[in-house]
Amino acid sequence: MKVFCGLFLLCVHCVFAGNSFPQDVGVLAEKIRSGNVEQKRDALLEIRNMESAEGSRAAIPALSDPSEIVRATAAFSVIFLPKDEAVSELVPLLRDKFELVRREAAYALGKVGDVSALDPLIETLQKDKTLEVRNAAVIALGEVGDARAIDALTRVLLQKPANKEEFLRRSAIRSIGQIAKNKQGKEKISSFDSVVAILIQILQDPKKSSDLKREAAFALGEIGNRSAVPVLRANISNPDYYLAQICKDALKKISE
């Protein structure tokens, strides 16, 4: 009986939550305007959990808050705005003087996933001096999923490798694979011709890390170019179980 009553009360709360929702947004908006840093962040997290355009719009003032922590937190609280509006609000943060804010803005633009963020993200990848911010831009480009980013991502792989940039290279390959998997990317499959040879070379190079090779095999499978078949077959018995499995999956995708 107690369980039933608890469930009933929960249902009643859910039914009437919509009626109190605007008031909730108003309360949170006031905290963002006049609260301390922690109160503002708590309000922004609640707004993020609402996953609504109305809530996201209440978070916009926090994007210009004096505290970089608040601005960084606000980036993910505005992603439920209409896509063009979200991009318009987030792009200026890519030029923020604090790397934390720039990084979170890049990640947030990836979650928005609108192609209008493509050029600002590519510019961030090419010009930002902080590795973590560039990596966020690379990941975001994969989530946006537009094949026009392939050239910029390929240039990451053509640069002289540095140990500290291993994760950046892995992220670039993963994003290439994500773009190929995207329907829009498939329609422009010729965009991937220039990168296939580089991915094959990575998979063949005994000096490359297993993580890098796994990402290369994944991307080759998503691209679907048959020139990758020999090197993928050569690795289906690789001692690295995960690499071998990814190569098998890639071969299956190519055959399909």
Side-chain angles (χ1 to χ4, degrees), residues 31-101:
K31 288 183 179 179
I32 291 171
R33 282 193 297 269
S34 59
N36 60 35
V37 169
E38 287 308 312
Q39 288 171 332
K40 290 177 180 179
R41 293 186 71 200
D42 288 344
L44 289 167
L45 291 173
E46 288 191 49
I47 283 174
R48 183 189 305 179
N49 291 335
M50 289 179 177
E51 299 185 5
S52 74
E54 182 183 9
S56 285
R57 195 158 281 114
I60 290 175
L63 296 173
S64 55
D65 193 88
S67 167
E68 68 271 19
I69 298 295
V70 173
R71 295 198 301 277
T73 306
F76 272 90
S77 297
V78 301
I79 62 175
F80 300 105
L81 290 167
K83 289 181 181 294
D84 58 342
E85 188 177 348
V87 171
S88 177
E89 295 292 345
L90 286 167
V91 164
L93 294 187
L94 294 176
R95 298 185 292 273
D96 196 279
K97 64 180 179 178
F98 289 95
E99 68 175 71
L100 172 64
V101 180

Side-chain angles (χ1 to χ4, degrees), residues 25 33 38-39 65 74 79 96 117 123 137 145 147 160 169 177 203 207-208 215 222 233 242 246:
V25 172
R33 282 193 297 269
E38 287 308 312
Q39 288 171 332
D65 193 88
I79 62 175
D96 196 279
E123 183 178 3
K160 186 177 180 180
R169 292 166 62 79
L203 198 50
K207 295 181 180 180
K208 300 300 183 187
E215 297 296 353
E222 296 299 339
R233 282 180 178 164
Y242 298 105
I246 293 170

Side-chain angles (χ1 to χ4, degrees):
M1 182 67 180
K2 289 181 180 179
V3 173
F4 174 79
C5 291
L7 290 173
F8 175 76
L9 291 174
L10 177 61
C11 291
V12 170
H13 172 76
C14 291
V15 168
F16 288 100
N19 294 332
S20 62
F21 188 68
Q23 183 179 354
D24 292 340
V25 172
V27 170
L28 295 172
E30 179 58 32
K31 288 183 179 179
I32 291 171
R33 282 193 297 269
S34 59
N36 60 35
V37 169
E38 287 308 312
Q39 288 171 332
K40 290 177 180 179
R41 293 186 71 200
D42 288 344
L44 289 167
L45 291 173
E46 288 191 49
I47 283 174
R48 183 189 305 179
N49 291 335
M50 289 179 177
E51 299 185 5
S52 74
E54 182 183 9
S56 285
R57 195 158 281 114
I60 290 175
L63 296 173
S64 55
D65 193 88
S67 167
E68 68 271 19
I69 298 295
V70 173
R71 295 198 301 277
T73 306
F76 272 90
S77 297
V78 301
I79 62 175
F80 300 105
L81 290 167
K83 289 181 181 294
D84 58 342
E85 188 177 348
V87 171
S88 177
E89 295 292 345
L90 286 167
V91 164
L93 294 187
L94 294 176
R95 298 185 292 273
D96 196 279
K97 64 180 179 178
F98 289 95
E99 68 175 71
L100 172 64
V101 180
R102 301 197 305 274
R103 185 191 70 193
E104 293 304 296
Y107 281 132
L109 284 166
K111 296 304 178 186
V112 173
D114 191 74
V115 295
S116 63
L118 189 70
D119 290 339
L121 286 169
I122 290 175
E123 183 178 3
T124 297
L125 168 59
Q126 294 172 340
K127 296 183 178 180
D128 200 283
K129 296 180 180 180
T130 303
L131 181 60
E132 287 78 8
V133 177
R134 296 202 305 275
N135 189 70
V138 164
I139 293 172
L141 287 169
E143 292 179 316
V144 170
D146 192 290
R148 290 174 293 175
I150 294 298
D151 287 344
L153 294 169
T154 301
R155 282 197 289 273
V156 172
L157 303 179
L158 291 173
Q159 295 170 359
K160 186 177 180 180
N163 290 335
K164 66 177 182 178
E165 294 185 348
E166 169 80 6
F167 190 70
L168 181 68
R169 292 166 62 79
R170 284 167 50 193
S171 297
I173 298 173
R174 168 62 59 165
S175 288
I176 289 168
Q178 285 181 304
I179 294 170
K181 190 174 184 178
N182 182 281
K183 181 180 179 182
Q184 185 175 4
K186 286 291 187 184
E187 291 171 353
K188 300 177 180 178
I189 202 68
S190 61
S191 302
F192 299 91
D193 291 346
S194 60
V195 77
V196 168
I198 298 172
L199 296 175
I200 290 174
Q201 186 178 12
I202 289 172
L203 198 50
Q204 289 175 324
D205 191 341
K207 295 181 180 180
K208 300 300 183 187
S209 70
S210 295
D211 287 333
L212 206 62
K213 290 184 176 183
R214 292 170 191 167
E215 297 296 353
F218 161 77
L220 288 168
E222 296 299 339
I223 293 169
N225 191 307
R226 294 197 62 81
S227 64
V229 169
V231 70
L232 290 169
R233 282 180 178 164
N235 281 279
I236 59 176
S237 299
N238 194 287
D240 181 340
Y241 169 81
Y242 298 105
L243 175 58
Q245 190 60 50
I246 293 170
C247 287
K248 290 176 184 177
D249 292 342
L251 286 167
K252 183 178 179 181
K253 290 175 183 176
I254 292 173
S255 68
E256 292 172 351

